[in-house]
Amino acid sequence: SRTGLLGRIFKNYEERPNQKQMAKAVNKALSQGDHLICEAGTGVGKSLAYLVPAAYISQKNNIPICVATKSNNLLDQLMYEELPRLSKNLEKPLQYISLKGYEHYLCLRKLNSYLRRNKLSNGTIISNIASLLIFTLQSNWVDLDSYHSYWPAFLKQELVCDSIDCLKNHCPFYKYCFLHALRGSAQSANVIVTNHSLLFRDVESKSHGAENGLLPSISHWIIDEAHNIEDEARQQLSYCVGKDDLLNQLKRLNNSHNGALLTLSKKIANQSGNSLLKGMIAEAYAICTSLEELNNDFFNTVHIEFSLETQKKSDENYPNFKRLVDNSLKEQEMFKKIRDFGEPFLLKLAQLKERLNAIVSLGKDFENAR
């Protein structure tokens, strides 16, 4: 109402029946632990319709409520506009924080490593790093999306956090880490704002153990822009791999000049008592060679069969197309051909994984016995 919270936030506030209806529905769902789907058109004011009840319920029950958006633009709007205004007009200030994916934050360990192994002579790179350090020290959010100065893509790739190589609490810079400091702050926040991408990445990470997640444990979720949620879930909970990707990984193992298997084999060639390890390396090398051929056969078959399928439906032959593997597709002759090539391919990949795990285990045993 004009005399209520929104009236204090907006001087010329006019009541919107749809906004009020949505706010009541959100309040009821959050209070009772129910699921709720809302469709709100432009002009309803849906952001405040869910933020206001979320703020009250979070403060009253001392629980975090997480809002997930499709775009970082909406995320930033909530963080820099909606939530500050809401917090300012509540009886008790609202604790809110945003969390994005690893790649949105600077990794101090990587920065330190980069500076140590590179002699900085390029004036542009020196300027980039100096500017980045100044921004990091002065920013309240330490979110690189707010860093608007140009920096080369290769440098960004070298310096941003990565979920794969993050050392977490084993990192020498852990207590200074921007990313994990934010995660710690999120534990005591009323409202956490993130995006769909991180929501599903967190789900996938926690499937391997709760300590692997980036987000704290959340029981109340508000998912904005949810019409895109299925595509985002599919993208984040699946893996993308191509013919060249696999071939490059195989070459890293069995390259005749500097492959990992050849390097390891040379290292232990003159050492006694490791015949089993040598045998496993030889088997893994042979499997890699076999997989190169299977890799070509499988992906060439996928390309041919889907190209033929696409040509039947269009006059043009598009190099990129998307098909969901559902029951109707599985019954088609084209999929049966792909499966005939795919099954031995997957079997060989499983054999390689088994041999590589055995090599790692035997290698550790051999080192410990020395």
Side-chain angles (χ1 to χ4, degrees):
S1 69
R2 291 186 178 183
T3 58
L5 176 60
L6 295 188
R8 295 196 298 273
I9 294 176
F10 303 102
K11 291 181 179 180
N12 299 317
Y13 175 74
E14 295 182 5
E15 288 191 32
R16 304 177 189 179
N18 290 338
Q19 184 185 48
K20 190 174 183 179
Q21 181 183 7
M22 179 179 167
K24 286 182 176 180
V26 171
N27 184 70
K28 181 180 178 182
L30 291 174
S31 300
Q32 298 180 359
D34 294 335
H35 295 99
L36 173 69
I37 298 176
C38 286
E39 184 174 2
T42 304
V44 170
K46 59 183 176 63
S47 296
L48 286 171
Y50 62 69
L51 286 178
V52 171
Y56 278 125
I57 289 173
S58 173
Q59 288 187 335
K60 179 181 177 181
N61 299 285
N62 195 29
I63 57 171
I65 294 179
C66 195
V67 178
T69 70
K70 166 62 179 173
S71 65
N72 284 329
N73 287 336
L74 177 55
L75 186 156
D76 290 338
Q77 178 188 324
L78 297 179
M79 284 299 300
Y80 300 124
E81 297 178 24
E82 310 285 13
L83 285 167
R85 285 188 297 206
L86 179 57
S87 178
K88 184 179 179 180
N89 288 276
L90 288 170
E91 293 182 8
K92 179 182 176 182
L94 190 68
Q95 301 298 317
Y96 55 91
I97 195 169
S98 73
L99 281 175
K100 299 179 183 178
Y102 278 79
E103 68 277 8
H104 293 275
Y105 304 97
L106 178 70
C107 176
L108 295 177
R109 177 178 60 83
K110 286 186 174 181
L111 175 61
N112 180 65
S113 175
Y114 184 85
L115 293 174
R116 284 179 174 276
R117 69 175 190 270
N118 290 284
K119 293 182 179 179
L120 298 182
S121 56
N122 185 302
T124 302
I125 300 300
I126 294 172
S127 176
N128 286 149
I129 292 180
S131 175
L132 188 62
L133 288 172
I134 292 170
F135 164 81
T136 303
L137 291 170
Q138 294 180 344
S139 170
N140 292 327
W141 302 105
V142 297
D143 174 356
L144 291 175
D145 284 354
S146 302
Y147 179 65
H148 299 303
S149 298
Y150 168 79
W151 54 323
F154 82 88
L155 184 62
K156 184 174 183 178
Q157 188 174 8
E158 286 271 1
L159 301 181
V160 297
C161 296
D162 187 300
S163 60
I164 295 175
D165 59 19
C166 178
L167 302 179
K168 298 184 174 63
N169 59 347
H170 298 293
C171 177
F173 295 92
Y174 180 75
K175 65 179 180 179
Y176 308 108
C177 178
F178 304 121
L179 174 65
H180 290 287
L182 283 173
R183 188 176 187 272
S185 299
Q187 302 284 349
S188 58
N190 299 120
V191 177
I192 302 166
V193 188
T194 187
N195 51 41
H196 295 176
S197 173
L198 187 58
L199 162 60
F200 289 110
R201 272 194 261 175
D202 186 68
V203 169
E204 198 279 331
S205 295
K206 285 177 179 171
S207 67
H208 304 292
E211 71 282 356
N212 295 314
L214 182 60
L215 297 171
S217 179
I218 305 289
S219 58
H220 293 73
W221 281 92
I222 297 172
I223 301 177
D224 203 341
E225 301 175 306
H227 52 283
N228 295 303
I229 201 74
E230 183 180 350
D231 287 341
E232 192 64 42
R234 185 180 297 113
Q235 181 177 337
Q236 297 300 331
L237 299 178
S238 59
Y239 294 94
C240 180
V241 66
K243 177 182 175 180
D244 292 339
D245 299 321
L246 275 174
L247 185 60
N248 288 335
Q249 294 301 321
L250 291 171
K251 288 297 184 185
R252 291 179 65 183
L253 288 170
N254 73 337
N255 187 290
S256 58
H257 298 293
N258 57 0
L261 293 173
L262 181 63
T263 301
L264 180 60
S265 182
K266 288 180 177 179
K267 184 177 179 180
I268 65 171
N270 298 321
Q271 299 174 4
S272 60
N274 55 12
S275 56
L276 184 57
L277 177 57
K278 291 178 181 177
M280 283 291 177
I281 294 172
E283 288 182 23
Y285 190 93
I287 293 173
C288 284
T289 303
S290 176
L291 272 170
E292 288 183 14
E293 183 176 347
L294 289 171
N295 179 52
N296 288 329
D297 291 343
F298 174 71
F299 282 102
N300 287 341
T301 302
V302 171
H303 178 75
I304 291 170
E305 294 300 326
F306 275 102
S307 294
L308 291 172
E309 181 71 10
T310 305
Q311 287 176 13
K312 293 176 185 177
K313 299 179 180 179
S314 173
D315 294 332
E316 298 183 57
N317 182 19
Y318 292 102
N320 297 310
F321 35 81
K322 182 189 293 185
R323 284 292 304 271
L324 297 180
V325 180
D326 52 20
N327 290 331
S328 63
L329 179 62
K330 291 179 181 178
E331 294 301 319
Q332 295 182 29
E333 189 63 32
M334 58 168 287
F335 187 81
K336 293 178 181 178
K337 290 180 181 179
I338 293 172
R339 186 168 53 200
D340 288 343
F341 282 93
E343 288 178 348
F345 184 36
L346 289 175
L347 180 61
K348 233 18 166 185
L349 283 170
Q351 290 175 357
L352 178 61
K353 179 182 177 182
E354 182 182 317
R355 299 302 188 282
L356 293 177
N357 286 336
I359 289 170
V360 171
S361 180
L362 289 169
K364 288 180 179 178
D365 291 343
F366 180 72
E367 286 295 324
N368 292 334
R370 291 179 66 188

